Amino acid sequence: MYKLIDKLEKDHVLSKEEYKKLISGFDSDLSGYLFEKARNTRHRFYGKDVYIRGLIEFTNYCKNDCLYCGIRCGNKNAQRYRLTKDDILLCCKEGYELGFRTFVLQGGEDPYFTDERMTDIIRTIKSDYPDCALTLSLGEKEHESYKAFFDAGADRYLLRHETANPAHYSKLHPPELSWQRRVNCLYDLKAIGYQVGCGFMVGSPYQTADDLAQELIFLKELDPQMVGIGPFIAHHDTPFRNEKSGTMELTLFMLGLIRLTLPDVLLPSTTALGTIHPLGREKGILAGANVVMPNLSPVSVRKKYMLYDNKICTGDEAAECRYCLQTRMKSIGYNVVTSRGDHFQSSKRLRSSKQSVQSIATAEKLTD
Ligand code: 5AD
Ligand code: FES
């Protein structure tokens, strides 16, 4: 088993059977061994920096009925809300003052936010905060919509694929949702030029070690810039109300494997991880994660964006979460940084395209 981790550290890939062996047989000693290698790898690319993203949960209306999710349309007990454009801009203003240079607009699949409304919001945020990156997380859309958002200035897109196994997907979703369509969206987003994030839940109902091994094969193939994972946690108003939660140990182990498989990937230590254990997010960083996503949504709506039970940070002001996380990261020897926090490769490209613009400018001066 230790040899397999050495091999993964060296080659950044294993066979599905090898991944499966690790996932079905790991213990705390093996985890410790993996996490140290995962941390070393993350330090090579990102040092001890932790990137922060300001999460703005701007609508909890959703036309979908995913069986695990607390804001599924079938949940008649959910109190629905939508932020206005002004509300969203106020969140950005507060976030900017707190040092955020990435905003994440996340919402259910809400038809009220048409392409026209979204592109207007995107353009305004990008013109008010040109030094910030804007990430969208709005679910499945047509190519034209993704393209319009990108042209309006959006930089990144998060769309968790939820599971890499189509048969498993159909046990977590109603029949009208298709795994293939979701995965096509991810390839589409990549082709348009977004920095793309996919992701899945750990310990979701019916998930097997085989499925988790398949996740790593899927990630290697898609090669996304970000991967968001967290434990499944039951929500009391969903069909999965009595299902067991995913464990912290397995989530951390998966984080370590992802770090060694995609060495420079942006990997958040998620709120769900912080929900199943008081030090979950710290442990996530120590297992190889390098991003945290504090909440910037107005406190008045926080409790309404309940994807799962007992979600943390729902009573805290944006500033409290920001500084809370900074203290938590400091306590384990890491530093929250104020920067856009681009993916290693993408930021190299951004830097070199800036440099070439500069060198062209210098060359033009010289020839003037
Ligand atoms: N437990 C954990 N994560 C969940 N998500 C939705 N419902 C749950 C749940 N019950 C995750 C999904 C979704 C992301 C926004 O939140 O992976 O893509
Ligand atoms: Fe929200 Fe600690 S991060 S209160």
Side-chain angles (χ1 to χ4, degrees), residues 281 313 316 320-321 324-325 328:
R281 287 168 301 172
C313 300
D316 302 281
E320 289 176 74
C321 278
C324 168
L325 272 169
R328 285 169 179 271

Side-chain angles (χ1 to χ4, degrees), residues 359-368:
S359 49
I360 291 166
T362 327
E364 278 173 353
K365 260 194 209 136
L366 291 175
T367 51
D368 262 354

Side-chain angles (χ1 to χ4, degrees), residues 279 282 286 324-334:
L279 296 177
E282 288 87 330
L286 292 172
C324 168
L325 272 169
Q326 180 159 328
T327 311
R328 285 169 179 271
M329 295 302 117
K330 254 258 103 68
S331 78
I332 52 166
Y334 286 79

